[in-house]
Structure formats: C-alpha cells, structure tokens
C-alpha cells in the first residue's frame, strides 16, 4: 500500500474534487433553503406550543397544547374553517371546469390561438392586490358596475360585501378570474400530449365530439387533472390576499362572513399579536392540506382501479 | 381540405373564446376607465364606461399618497435580485440533480420536491421571528433573503436539463479534463439558457406580485408596490379613482413584460406543467 500511495494520491485528487462537486452545486440552494424554508416550517410546530407575543417575539413560555384548545373553543376559528371550505369549493370547482372547457376549445385548430392563450393568462400576471382592488370596486354596493348592470336588466342590486353568500361568491370570482387561464394552459399542455391518431380513428369509427372528449381526452388528462386539483386545493386552503383586500380589513367582513383560515392566522398574529396561536393555526392548516392531499390521492387511485 | 378535421374550430368555438377573452380583459379596461375619471364620476348612478381626462392627475395623486415611486424602486430591486438568485441557485442545483451521481441524491431531491407541496405561509411565524432577530424588519433584505432560492425553480431546471443536456456532452468535457465548474460554465450554462429565461420571467412576475410575506415583513414606510397598494386600499376616505390609478401603475410593469414576452411565458408554463 505504502509504495502505491504517491501515484494514487496524485490521480485521486481531481477525482475527489469531482466527487464533492455536486454538493458544491447544491450548497447555495440548500443553505438558504434550510435556513428560510425548512427550519421555519418545522419550528412552527415548536412555536405553536408556546405563548409568544409579537412585541416580545424573543420570549417563549411553554403552554403545551393550550393554543390548540383555545383555538378549538373559538367560534371564529370554526367560522374561518367553514368559510375556507365554501370559498374553496366556490372558486376551485368552477375554475377547473371552465379551464377544462376552454382548454378543449384552445386545442382546436384556430386562427389567432397565441392571442387567445396570452389573453387568458393576463389575469395570472396581475397581483392579488391589483385584482382584488378592481373587483372590490366592480362589486361595490351603491356605485359598482355589477349592480348597475343588474339594475339595467331589471334585477335588484346585491350587497356583495355584507351578504354572506354574495361576498363569498365575490371573493371566489376573483380567484376564478385569476387562475382559470393558467389552469386552461396546463390542461392544454396535457391535451397536446395525447396522440392525434386516437381522435382520428375515433372520428372514423363515428364517435361524436363529446364521446371523443369523454373517452379520449378525459382519461388522457387524468394525471394533469389530479395535479391541478391538488395545487388548487392547496391554494384555496391558504387563501389570504383576496379576502384581506376585498373590503380592507383583516376580519374578513363585518361579521367575519368571508374570513378564511389564512386571514384568521394573520389576524391572530399581526392584529392581536398572538404569534404562538397563529402558529397553531398554521399547523392546523398544514394538517388540513395533508388530509386533503391524501383524499385526492385516494380518489385518483380508486378512479384508476375502476377504469381497468 | 376535403374532410373537416375533427379538431377544426367552428364559429361556436370562436364565439366562446372571444367572450372568455373579453371577460379576462375587461377588468384591465375598467382599471383604465376608473383611473382616468374623478371620484364623483365613479360614484354616480350611471357610471362612465369610457376613459376620461383625469389619468395623469390621478396618477400624480396616487404617487403622493402611497409613496408609489419608492415602492416601484423597491419592487424593482427586490424582483431583480431575487430573480438572479433563484435562476442561478436553481440552475446549479438543477444540474447536479439532473446529471451528477452522488450519495443522498434521491433523498435530497425528495425533500426539495416534497416541500413544494407545503405552502410557505405555514413557516411564516418563525421566519418573522428570525427576521426580527436579525433586525431586518422593514428592510428590503427581509423580503429578498427568504426568496433567493426556490424548490420549484430547482425542480423546473432539473426537468429542463434532464431533457436538454445530452450526457455525451458532459462525458466529452470530462474526457478533455475539464473540471466540474468548467463543465458547468462552458457546457451547461449555454444549454440551460432557454430554461433559465423562462424561470426568470416566472420568478420576476411572482416576486413582483408577492403579497403575504411583504405585508408581514415590510411597513408602508418602506413598501413594495403590493404593500403600497394595500395601504391605498385602506385609506380612511377611499378615493376609488386614485386607488385605481395606483393599481394601474403597479400592474403596468408586469403587463409590459407580458406584452413583450407573453408567448414565451405561455410556452414556459405549458412546458413546466406537463410533467408536474
């Protein structure tokens, strides 16, 4: 061994550099990712077991599960949870169905299809803040354009802010407006990876357009649909900017009629200064997302089995 | 063409798409209308439906009220630095994940992809405590530092490089005795450029539009555009036309990027999505 050491070491030096190089490439990402991504995520659980106030964020007093029990005794928490669900359904379901329909149309041979695609993605390029401020104005009770339009066709105006369902619909519409085009493009990408010949042979066999959509497009899109459902569910669970700016307060309406969990978290932490309790809300949201993701996965797996 | 192709678009398809396009574009038009009218014109029984003469007056007011000029500069700095950081760190890590073999690769990639599913909002409280401890509250680094790397970016660049970068190119580089860094610089970077461009555009837009973390970390004294918009919307006497003028200024830069590069952004989103 000893006699071989010198020539070997000379050859090994560049080798070792090559072996360590991957970690060098990963280092910039993982160092920051660990500090500002992973650590806060895990540390949230620890914070949620303590009393931490915004003004004295350095001081942590052990509370055990008290933040959680306080949370579950708070009717506003349950209200926010319920609202998150209803607004989530009101925004996600129409959004994905519309996107599917639009993607199907965009998949036709069309003139100006780039134009349509770009126009559809424009809402995605706007910020939550800008979109919400515009829609809040359109939904104005007294001088809003939507009530004016309702009035001109002979319908009575709606209080889009104070009424529970109307306000939740209003918030959902902002979400739908911003994300429909984005999802349509994702579906379109999925559709374009379905072989054209399938449609052609189906057409020869006399399948109608609807039958083609039902039996070729939808099954081919399944993984894409599961992906968009999961992503939209996560987005809906943490909905924040739209309800915050819809009327401009963190309570989510006079009687919290459209306060979401994300807004509730912000209110606990930065209006009432209870960072510990806000961390508990964050963990409840996390568990909710895990449950919803598992439900989605289970449904997708079941669908696959029944198809076979 | 004798037989109509099964996928040829008919008048119905055009009709629906045009209606949808109008619905998608209308709020932008309305922003312009409202931003160019006076508040009293907006709060009348029959609203004005066309742009008016007050645009520049309202923009001037908005610039004063919410210090939007500072906000624009801040947003530009933050978005540019974050974009550069994300593109660079993602390309480096994406290359390692796509083409290099090393111990722990599978696990590290799984962690990266796994956290993409967890909303960053959930870590916001400890992150805030860290920022307070570092005394960075209300300072731009508080919104730059946490955003410099992105798990999505790494995943995106990995997917791009797996396909775009042939193994033989790297092998050839190694044969010639190039170091890993040299290979990255002379072989990987040129191939990665289209992917980096798409990731850069997406990151710039997302950073410019980011809302939750900036309003937690920054105040209206030193805002980004989105934080400034929030404070405009929460004034005691909301002047709608000035709010809309502010909204217009905050949206314009991104729309401009979009008008110039819309086609590439569309392509990028469709590309990144397929393998999601």
């Amino acid at each position: 061994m000893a006699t071989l050491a010198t020539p070997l070491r000379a050859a090994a030096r560049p080798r070792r550099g090559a072996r360590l190089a991957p970690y060098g490439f990963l280092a910039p990402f993982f160092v920051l990712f660990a500090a500002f991504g992973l650590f806060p995520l895990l540390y949230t659980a620890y914070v949620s077991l303590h009393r931490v106030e915004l003004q004295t964020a350095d001081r942590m007093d052990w509370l055990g599960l008290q933040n959680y029990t306080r949370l579950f005794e708070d009717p506003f928490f349950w209200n926010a949870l319920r609202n998150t669900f209803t607004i989530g359904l009101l925004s996600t379901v129409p959004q994905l169905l519309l996107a599917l329909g639009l993607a199907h149309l965009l998949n036709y041979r069309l003139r100006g299809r780039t134009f349509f695609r770009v126009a559809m993605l424009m809402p995605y390029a706007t910020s939550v803040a800008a979109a919400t401020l515009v829609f809040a104005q359109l939904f104005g009770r007294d001088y809003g354009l939507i009530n004016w339009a309702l009035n001109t066709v002979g319908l009575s105006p709606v209080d889009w802010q104070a009424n529970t369902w109307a306000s939740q619909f209003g918030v959902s519409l902002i979400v739908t407006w911003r994300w429909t085009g984005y999802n349509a493009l994702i579906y379109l990408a999925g559709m374009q990876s379905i072989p054209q010949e399938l449609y052609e042979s189906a057409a020869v066999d006399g399948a109608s357009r609807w039958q083609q959509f039902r039996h070729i497009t939808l099954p081919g899109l399944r993984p894409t649909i599961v992906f968009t459902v999961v992503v939209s569910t996560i987005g809906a669970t943490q909905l924040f900017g739209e309800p915050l700016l819809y009327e401009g307060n963190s309570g989510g309406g006079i009687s919290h009629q459209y306060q979401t969990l994300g807004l509730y978290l912000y209110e606990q932490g930065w209006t009432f200064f209870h960072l510990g309790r806000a961390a508990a809300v964050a963990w409840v949201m996390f568990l909710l997302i895990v449950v919803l993701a598992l439900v989605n996965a289970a449904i997708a797996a079941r669908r696959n089995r029944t198809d076979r | 063409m004798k037989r109509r192709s099964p996928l040829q678009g008919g008048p119905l398809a055009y009709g629906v798409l045009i209606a949808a396009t109008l619905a998608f574009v209308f709020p932008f038009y309305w922003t312009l209308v409202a931003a160019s009218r006076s508040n009293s014109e907006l709060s009348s029984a029959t609203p004005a439906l066309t742009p008016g003469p007050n645009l520049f007056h309202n923009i001037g007011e908005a610039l004063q009220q919410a210090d939007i000029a500072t906000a624009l500069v801040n947003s530009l700095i933050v978005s540019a630095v974050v974009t550069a950081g994300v593109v660079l760190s993602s390309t480096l890590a994406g290359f390692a994940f796509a083409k290099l073999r090393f111990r722990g690769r599978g696990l590290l990639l799984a962690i990266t992809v796994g956290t993409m599913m967890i909303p960053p909002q959930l870590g916001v409280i400890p992150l805030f405590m860290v920022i307070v401890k570092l005394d960075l509250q209300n300072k731009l680094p508080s919104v730059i530092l946490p955003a410099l790397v992105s798990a999505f970016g790494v995943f995106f660049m990995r997917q791009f490089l797996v396909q775009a970068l042939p193994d033989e190119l790297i092998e050839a580089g190694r044969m010639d005795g190039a170091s890993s860094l040299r290979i990255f610089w002379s072989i990987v970077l040129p191939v990665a450029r289209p992917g980096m461009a798409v990731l850069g555009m997406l990151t710039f837009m997302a950073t410019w539009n980011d809302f939750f973390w900036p309003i937690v970390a920054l105040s209206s004294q030193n805002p980004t555009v989105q934080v400034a918009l929030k404070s405009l919307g929460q004034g005691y006497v909301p002047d709608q036309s000035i709010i809309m003028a502010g909204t217009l200024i905050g949206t314009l830069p991104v729309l401009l990027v979009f008008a110039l590069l819309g086609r590439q952004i569309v392509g990028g989103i469709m590309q990144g999505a397929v393998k999601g």
Side-chain angles (χ1 to χ4, degrees), chain A residues 11-34:
Chain A
R13 204 171 286 147
R15 268 265 187 81
R16 183 195 235 184
R19 245 197 353 261
L20 289 179
Y23 302 104
F25 287 124
L26 292 176
F29 170 72
F30 269 105
V31 168
L32 284 166
F33 185 59

Side-chain angles (χ1 to χ4, degrees), chain A residues 14 29 42 57-58 63 97 103 115 118 121 148 166 168 183 186 188 201 215 221 226 272 276 278 292:
Chain A
F29 170 72
L42 301 174
D58 282 345
L63 277 186
L97 289 178
F115 166 79
V118 172
L121 200 62
W148 172 80
Q168 295 199 358
N183 283 306
I186 290 180
L188 181 60
S201 61
H215 295 290
L221 271 186
V226 172
F272 301 149
L292 288 172

